Amino acid sequence: MKTILAAVDFSPATEAVIAQAAGLARAFGAALYLVHVAAPDPDFVGYEPGPDSVRQNVAAELRDVHRQVQDRSAALRAGGIDCTGLLVQGSTPETLVKEAERLDADIIVLGSHGHGALHRALLGSVSEHVLHHARRPLLILPRQPE
């Protein structure tokens, strides 16, 4: 195993995902990529640019998430793990599958939020999509008790 992709969304599942992925990386001497997928820019917002405050808020959110990913990556590097943090924009499930291919990941580690059937029917499930579309082994961690 050379490369591990860990999907991080900073939900309660993130800590377990990072711990499992870091354990695998340490055990196999593999490179670890922490990947956070941010929402894509809208395709069409009108003829005029949006208010500056909207653009500034989105930019501030992206900077904050990028900082979180980089901080977590730096902490893992300080612990001896070859870790890189990535912030990419797109549809979460499709982007995770594409990033796994691009990075030639040997395994994808992600958490399940444990949403019910209605949520999955209306919005879908990231882990289900990745399970059905990725050509890589998956480690899906169950929802953590609160």
Side-chain angles (χ1 to χ4, degrees):
M1 187 177 301
K2 299 177 302 184
T3 307
I4 299 166
L5 183 152
V8 295
D9 62 0
F10 300 106
S11 71
T14 295
E15 292 306 315
V17 168
I18 292 174
Q20 286 292 324
L24 287 171
R26 190 171 279 114
F28 290 99
L32 173 60
Y33 288 87
L34 298 183
V35 178
H36 178 82
V37 181
D41 291 330
D43 291 331
F44 180 74
V45 292
Y47 293 110
E48 298 297 320
D52 282 341
S53 62
V54 172
R55 286 192 300 277
Q56 290 170 357
N57 286 340
V58 169
E61 287 175 22
L62 287 174
R63 280 192 303 272
D64 182 52
V65 171
H66 185 259
R67 181 191 48 77
Q68 290 179 60
V69 171
Q70 295 307 313
D71 288 350
R72 295 308 304 264
S73 297
L76 290 166
R77 281 192 305 276
I81 295 173
D82 177 12
C83 185
T84 302
L86 300 174
L87 172 64
V88 292
Q89 282 186 286
S91 167
T92 301
E94 289 90 1
T95 303
L96 288 174
V97 171
K98 287 177 186 173
E99 284 298 301
E101 290 295 323
R102 185 182 73 79
L103 296 169
D104 195 22
D106 294 300
I107 190 168
I108 303 169
V109 182
L110 64 147
S112 173
H113 292 153
H115 294 299
L118 180 61
H119 184 273
R120 282 193 311 272
L122 295 174
L123 300 174
S125 163
V126 171
S127 56
E128 266 186 58
H129 180 94
V130 174
L131 176 64
H132 293 294
H133 293 90
R135 295 187 173 140
R136 310 286 172 173
L138 295 176
L139 173 56
I140 301 176
L141 302 174
R143 182 176 154 222
Q144 301 297 306
E146 297 181 24

